[in-house]
Amino acid sequence: MEILINERRFEGTGFVHDRAGGLHQITFNFKVRSGQEYHEVTTLLYKNDFHIQVPEEGLSFQAVIQQYSTSAVNLYEENAIADYHIQLIEKKAGE
């Protein structure tokens, strides 16, 4: 499933959309390749202020990371691929 985080496209698997306290919450997995892709993804996630779009689900909202994890792959090695798991929650109004 296509998930856009600040207009950057991710191909997510295991996608789940829930509501937590009335707020949108999405969870999904994705892969990250070493090199430039790793740099782009980590820089993006570090911001922790996202506009989320999930076109297939008709979702669009502002979010922050609720939790995430990654496999212990060394992404400084050429052609390495890591598995990421992320859960994003909609920001409350005024945040």
Side-chain angles (χ1 to χ4, degrees):
M1 174 171 298
E2 180 181 77
I3 298 108
L4 299 167
I5 300 177
N6 291 357
E7 298 184 7
R8 190 196 188 283
R9 183 182 178 275
F10 289 84
E11 190 61 39
T13 60
F15 179 85
V16 176
H17 172 235
D18 287 318
R19 299 284 265 186
L23 303 173
H24 292 289
Q25 178 179 290
I26 62 170
T27 305
F28 63 97
N29 304 306
F30 61 97
K31 296 192 180 292
V32 175
R33 185 174 306 279
S34 61
Q36 185 63 31
E37 183 179 6
Y38 170 69
H39 176 73
E40 290 172 5
V41 170
T42 55
T43 300
L44 173 68
L45 295 179
Y46 183 74
K47 293 177 183 177
N48 200 23
D49 183 17
F50 312 116
H51 180 241
I52 304 300
Q53 295 172 284
V54 186
E56 190 174 316
E57 298 287 317
L59 295 173
S60 179
F61 58 93
Q62 294 299 120
V64 294
I65 295 171
Q66 188 160 22
Q67 70 177 24
Y68 88 98
S69 61
T70 183
S71 61
V73 173
N74 183 350
L75 289 176
Y76 292 104
E77 293 177 7
E78 189 174 340
N79 296 317
I81 297 175
D83 296 311
Y84 277 65
H85 175 81
I86 193 164
Q87 185 173 71
L88 303 164
I89 191 161
E90 183 177 11
K91 290 170 75 171
K92 293 178 183 173
E95 284 187 332

